Amino acid sequence: MGLIVKSFTLSFGVFGRMILPILAIMVVSSILWGLLNLISGGYLSFLSGPITATFIGLFGIRTALALMGDNRRTEYEILILYSVLYGVFLLIAKGGALLLSDIAAVAYADWRLGDAVSFRNFLNAEKSLQLAFGFYALSAKAVVSLVMYTSVCVVMAVPLASAARAAGRGTPSAGFFAGAGRSFIPLFCIFAVSFFLQFFFELFTSLFAMIPLLLSVISIVFSQTIPDFDLDALLKGAAASAGLLWLHSWIWAASAVALGKADQSSEQQLTAAPAQAATTIDMRALRKSRE
């Protein structure tokens, strides 16, 4: 409970510090990935999203760590390296989780309809045309995919935070899976709520912010005029974008707080070990003295 409360409070500071950096990152990444996709013929397009999202996440966690007292200068080349490594790994892990959720959804639909669960049914495309089968499969997929997708992100939350801290100047590198699965239950609660709400805020951001912005660009390029938009719609778009950024900020703050909690637990174990060893030596000395 303490992690949830502390990360919730910290998230507002992270939100305030990430407004300008995230705009700069989005502009730079769009230009960079546009050039890379042009050079590669579009083959790198499937990597742009995960790597950019991972870089933003690591930068957000470093912002949370700075608010917690870690003010070491960021080495961006290390941050980029970790973004590529973890971005590719998370792309594979999340894809595997979604594939397993598809299999679980089809198996649940077969079970509800009284059919034998088999791999043939999973490959049978005609099944998707059945209304009852589609209802059971989609409802199961929505739940299972959210749980499995969230679990992958939660398991890797502390390792990502360790990587973000390791990008600070003079900080030793961390193991790729260092701290994996730590503080799972509170982090799962935070991530699940955030991911669920992100769906709606992303929808509102697209409707009230991204689409009007795209229409404005098209209108300026082809007709040299700026379309007249309702002020209320623009305010809704700004509010939805701010809410979406805050939900991400809460996740970044929670990852940083979980890393601090894991460090405290490790320190307590290290201090307890010498005390236990000293107690063992004292007991042996007492036995010898009695002999």
Side-chain angles (χ1 to χ4, degrees), residues 2-20:
L3 189 152
I4 296 176
V5 174
K6 187 175 181 179
S7 63
F8 182 82
T9 305
L10 183 63
S11 65
F12 294 99
V14 177
F15 168 77
R17 289 197 178 191
M18 283 296 294
I19 295 176
L20 294 179

Side-chain angles (χ1 to χ4, degrees), residues 122-145:
F122 178 73
L123 297 177
N124 190 356
E126 295 179 357
K127 285 278 188 180
S128 61
L129 300 179
Q130 298 181 14
L131 182 60
F133 182 88
F135 172 77
Y136 289 128
L138 289 176
S139 59
K141 178 178 172 57
V143 175
V144 176
S145 60

